[in-house]
Amino acid sequence: MVQIKPIKKEQAAYEAIRQAIIDGSLQPGQKVSIRELAERFSFGRTPVADAMKRLTLEGWLESATGVATRVAALAQNDRNEYMQVRGALEVLAARLCALHAGPEDFLDFEHCLAVAQLAIDSQNWMRAVEADIEFHRICASKSGNHFLSQYYSQLLSQDERVFYRNIPDPEARIQSHTQHRAIYEAIRSGSPEAAASAASLHVDTILARLQADQQR
């Protein structure tokens, strides 16, 4: 009989705190402490301390010597800068995927796109955002370049907090899904230039949306 390993306490604490930031239970700028979070989520202090270190590294929390740990603020300029770097990696990832991805990889892309379509059809916008993030993770992981995949994952974990706290409007989600499908079709066709072009258009669309939001 196969035994399923229980989730480690540190991982469970990490997920609980992260979810509280995502759903707004913990607000940007709010002070947090090991003792408070341990009591709030019924975990020991050691797993909470480990989880907080990881969340700080990923950008969900911010801390400095002699200063209380806080939930990281959501700065628009940070989002723009993240997206500029992420966008460059996404274009490169799409290009490399067109060169390296094979039939088994295509199945992962198709499953992700199907999940996204189902989320859009059911107007589950949170799930649509999750599928959006997963699409880019897959693209990075199938690029054949483990450095790119590693760096991209680090950047995306920093930007996820903005994705989740600012769920895009339905039109943006539909547009993003359509552009993801175009990126995938170019990858599947084995055309590096077409894949990079489709990814570049997607990045430019997001940056333009961010700029429009900033001007409101």
Side-chain angles (χ1 to χ4, degrees), residues 29-85:
Q30 181 177 337
K31 294 181 181 179
V32 293
S33 68
I34 295 173
R35 180 184 59 79
E36 174 201 350
L37 294 178
E39 293 177 356
R40 179 173 185 154
F41 297 107
S42 299
F43 287 110
R45 294 193 180 191
T46 298
V48 168
D50 291 340
M52 289 177 67
K53 289 178 183 177
R54 179 178 170 188
L55 289 161
T56 300
L57 287 173
E58 293 180 354
W60 295 87
L61 300 176
E62 53 189 10
S63 179
T65 303
V67 179
T69 300
R70 301 174 184 269
V71 176
L74 306 179
Q76 186 68 33
N77 286 338
D78 285 349
R79 179 75 200 277
N80 289 331
E81 291 178 6
Y82 285 144
M83 195 60 225
Q84 288 171 355
V85 179

Side-chain angles (χ1 to χ4, degrees), residues 2 5 17 35 60 68 86 88 91 131 135 172 192 209:
V2 177
K5 294 183 179 179
I17 299 168
R35 180 184 59 79
W60 295 87
R86 272 191 50 215
V91 172
F135 177 86
R209 191 181 302 134

Side-chain angles (χ1 to χ4, degrees), residues 7-210:
I7 298 176
K8 291 184 178 180
K9 291 181 179 180
E10 183 270 333
Q11 179 66 23
Y14 166 85
E15 292 177 359
I17 299 168
R18 180 175 177 273
Q19 183 58 44
I21 297 173
I22 289 172
D23 65 25
S25 298
L26 294 174
Q27 289 288 315
Q30 181 177 337
K31 294 181 181 179
V32 293
S33 68
I34 295 173
R35 180 184 59 79
E36 174 201 350
L37 294 178
E39 293 177 356
R40 179 173 185 154
F41 297 107
S42 299
F43 287 110
R45 294 193 180 191
T46 298
V48 168
D50 291 340
M52 289 177 67
K53 289 178 183 177
R54 179 178 170 188
L55 289 161
T56 300
L57 287 173
E58 293 180 354
W60 295 87
L61 300 176
E62 53 189 10
S63 179
T65 303
V67 179
T69 300
R70 301 174 184 269
V71 176
L74 306 179
Q76 186 68 33
N77 286 338
D78 285 349
R79 179 75 200 277
N80 289 331
E81 291 178 6
Y82 285 144
M83 195 60 225
Q84 288 171 355
V85 179
R86 272 191 50 215
L89 289 180
E90 287 174 3
V91 172
L92 177 58
R95 180 188 296 275
L96 293 176
C97 275
L99 293 171
H100 299 292
E104 291 186 4
D105 302 319
F106 298 153
L107 292 176
D108 290 337
F109 277 110
E110 289 169 6
H111 174 73
C112 181
L113 290 168
V115 169
Q117 186 64 63
L118 180 61
I120 291 171
D121 291 343
S122 61
Q123 298 185 6
N124 185 342
W125 306 118
M126 177 68 81
R127 186 69 187 94
V129 168
E130 291 172 352
D132 185 313
I133 294 171
E134 181 62 18
F135 177 86
H136 291 294
R137 286 194 189 280
I138 292 172
C139 199
S141 69
K142 306 300 182 182
S143 67
N145 186 314
H146 71 276
F147 289 106
L148 186 154
S149 181
Q150 177 184 345
Y151 296 149
Y152 182 79
S153 180
Q154 291 174 354
L155 281 171
L156 187 55
S157 68
Q158 297 241 355
D159 205 29
E160 280 180 342
R161 58 197 173 96
V162 187
F163 264 109
Y164 284 118
R165 291 300 305 280
N166 297 275
I167 302 299
D169 60 71
E171 289 185 7
R173 292 269 45 83
I174 294 169
Q175 182 183 50
S176 181
H177 177 63
T178 300
Q179 291 178 344
H180 285 176
R181 185 165 291 283
I183 294 169
Y184 166 63
E185 292 299 338
I187 290 171
R188 186 180 176 87
S189 72
S191 172
E193 294 304 321
S197 178
S200 182
L201 174 61
H202 181 52
V203 171
D204 288 345
T205 299
I206 296 173
L207 286 171
R209 191 181 302 134
L210 290 173

